[in-house]
Amino acid sequence: MINPKIWTLADLKADANLARTGFRHERIDEPLELYSEFFDTFVPIFAELVDTLSTITRSEDPEHLAALMRSSNKKTAFRYLAAPPISEDDLKVLADAKLSATALKSNPDSAKRVREIVLHILDPHRFIWAKEQREPSQMEREIAIASSAALVAAKKVETSRRSSARKLQEEGVKSILAELDYLEVPKRNIQLLSQGPNRGEFCGESKLGNTRADLVIRLFDDRVLAIECKASNSEVNSFKRVNHEAAGKAKQWLGAFGNNQIVPSAVLSGVFNVNNLQTAQAEGLNLFWSHRLADLIDFIIATKVR
């Protein structure tokens, strides 16, 4: 059977440098429009929130808080009153409450707990007047609105970058599969490889054994090519993305399905530590690069040879 190429340390260094250069260009050339769009969206929301802060945090009427939860962006803004901003999951657990408008409106005790949690960790630097139980000055109000909107915008851009990088990688792989006349089929739960796509087919993110793969492809020799799309913004982050996540899944898949039936792989873009890549490769993870998907095409075509 044909297997993907095992890269030498020199190969890995060369490709890691190319990927790093691509990452630099992407970040340096990245326009500010997305950040500005998020910022402009949240400025009026925080303006309304700041002007009604005393009412929301002190009123016993659950409707004031429930009104915020009817809007996803307002709910986000409310969580960003805290220092540091509190996640939705953490707020649910700490307040022992559901955060839907209906649940809070019908349960005043839950609404009170949610208010108390956020008030307890309210940012004392952005909202100093709230702790002092007074109205803000015009400057304090403007600073609080702008700094809060900036916090959310920065986080939204960061999240968008991660999801966009993975989406671009997946779209790149799907594009080459289309060139090879592969057919995309519905996602599925694959506990036996016979439950996977047929030869010449692939599916998007699916349960493969006890974990998930971003793409599951049936090769022409009937093996399954399991791909994880991994983008990293630093060498430290690359250990988590490649060694902990992708290589960790590779071990599970190889243990469950065997070396002769599955080809665990990762498509990489961004910044990576070469030693980490070498370790992951030695542990059974096959490596491809977003900047040179021709290698992936060549491998898939090669599996036609019997």
Side-chain angles (χ1 to χ4, degrees), residues 39 43 46-47 50-51 126 129 136-149:
F39 183 86
V43 162
F46 276 108
V50 165
D51 291 341
R126 283 183 288 149
W129 72 88
S137 67
Q138 184 62 27
M139 180 174 290
E140 286 173 330
R141 177 182 180 275
E142 291 175 0
I143 290 174
I145 292 169
S147 59
S148 299

Side-chain angles (χ1 to χ4, degrees), residues 169-301:
Q169 287 175 310
E170 290 184 3
E171 288 176 351
V173 175
K174 287 182 178 181
S175 177
I176 68 168
L177 290 173
E179 291 176 15
L180 296 172
D181 295 324
Y182 263 81
L183 175 67
E184 183 170 6
V185 295
K187 303 174 182 179
R188 59 197 64 193
N189 185 348
I190 306 169
Q191 296 303 313
L192 299 172
L193 292 186
S194 59
Q195 298 171 324
N198 294 321
R199 189 184 299 183
E201 296 179 345
F202 75 96
C203 57
E205 184 181 24
S206 296
K207 186 78 175 293
L208 182 59
N210 293 325
T211 187
R212 291 188 176 275
D214 291 332
L215 293 159
V216 180
I217 304 161
R218 181 72 70 171
L219 297 169
F220 295 114
D221 61 11
D222 287 329
R223 288 179 296 169
V224 166
L225 174 62
I227 291 181
E228 283 287 283
C229 294
K230 294 299 178 184
S232 169
N233 60 9
S234 72
E235 290 191 1
V236 173
N237 179 258
S238 73
F239 179 83
K240 176 183 177 183
R241 299 287 174 232
V242 175
N243 301 79
H244 178 67
E245 295 176 0
K249 290 183 179 183
K251 289 179 183 178
Q252 291 188 50
W253 292 328
L254 290 170
F257 303 113
N259 292 338
N260 292 329
Q261 297 193 75
I262 195 159
V263 185
S265 304
V267 172
L268 310 175
S269 67
V271 183
F272 293 90
N273 181 296
V274 175
N275 293 327
N276 291 345
L277 296 178
Q278 195 173 36
T279 298
Q281 187 175 238
E283 292 175 346
L285 182 68
N286 298 286
L287 304 178
F288 298 96
W289 295 91
S290 291
H291 62 259
R292 202 178 59 246
L293 287 176
D295 294 330
L296 182 57
I297 294 176
D298 291 343
F299 168 65
I300 294 174
I301 292 175

Side-chain angles (χ1 to χ4, degrees), residues 19-32:
R20 184 187 294 264
T21 299
F23 175 82
R24 287 197 190 104
H25 284 310
E26 178 185 310
R27 288 299 172 91
I28 292 172
D29 298 335
E30 185 178 56
L32 291 174

